[in-house]
Amino acid sequence: MYIKTFAPVLLALSSLGLVACSGGDQPSGDTDTGWAGMAQKARDGIREEMATQNLDIVQGVAGLPSASLSPQGDLVIDGQTITLTPAQRERLLDYRAQLAGVAEAGADVGIQGAAIGVAAMKEAAKAALGGDQAQVEQRIKEQTDAIRVAAQALCDRLPALLEAQRAAAEAVPEFKPYANMDEKDILECNTEIDAAAP
């Protein structure tokens, strides 16, 4: 579920590295125009979207009508708002909150990946001009270790998201067909991080 929902966001964030490496203006430092500023803007954008916009909860699932969750916890299926009890609404709002946390963690990974791409190119250029290759490799390793930590933080959020999804599906029968995240998604997330380890 989280992969279907946020993959386009992560792809867009990660592509910032390609833009930066193409010779355009590159963010620098920790100012509002640097990578830290960009990461904060991404987080703020996600928070704003979560606070004000409906969240699509189905993308490309055969046989299911479109469905979304409003910021107020309304479940809208095929244009119809499902009647909910306060307890059901609370479960759906908990689920939305967990999705927001995963989205913010994804923004961190994407921005850090872009920053590391630019830094690695700079380090490679230094090495080509006679820099210490071993020191360059060590600095790049430290940077990639940092993004691995950020990616692990994203994976670590998934069990709580799965639990919130299960609680929402149990409380709201109409939501259950859309609750398609399972333990395999968590395993795949952690497996990808392990596979990327040096």
Side-chain angles (χ1 to χ4, degrees), residues 85-195:
T85 68
Q88 288 174 317
R89 188 178 304 277
E90 183 178 351
R91 295 287 78 76
L92 290 172
L93 286 171
D94 287 346
Y95 176 65
R96 259 190 79 106
Q98 291 298 331
L99 281 175
V102 170
E104 286 188 38
D108 287 341
V109 173
I111 291 292
Q112 285 191 42
I116 287 171
V118 172
M121 290 196 69
K122 289 180 179 179
E123 295 291 353
K126 289 178 184 177
L129 295 173
D132 186 325
Q133 184 68 33
Q135 287 186 359
V136 168
E137 290 177 359
Q138 178 60 31
R139 285 194 292 270
I140 291 175
K141 180 184 182 303
E142 290 170 356
Q143 292 166 345
T144 55
D145 286 346
I147 197 171
R148 193 172 292 112
V149 169
Q152 185 62 60
L154 187 154
C155 292
D156 290 346
R157 285 181 171 271
L158 298 185
L161 175 60
L162 178 58
E163 184 61 29
Q165 179 193 260
R166 286 174 171 165
E170 182 177 345
V172 186
E174 294 88 348
F175 173 74
K176 191 170 185 177
Y178 300 93
N180 62 356
M181 178 186 175
D182 56 28
E183 289 88 349
K184 185 174 72 173
D185 293 318
I186 300 172
L187 178 61
E188 287 177 354
C189 187
N190 287 291
T191 299
E192 288 179 6
I193 292 175
D194 291 341

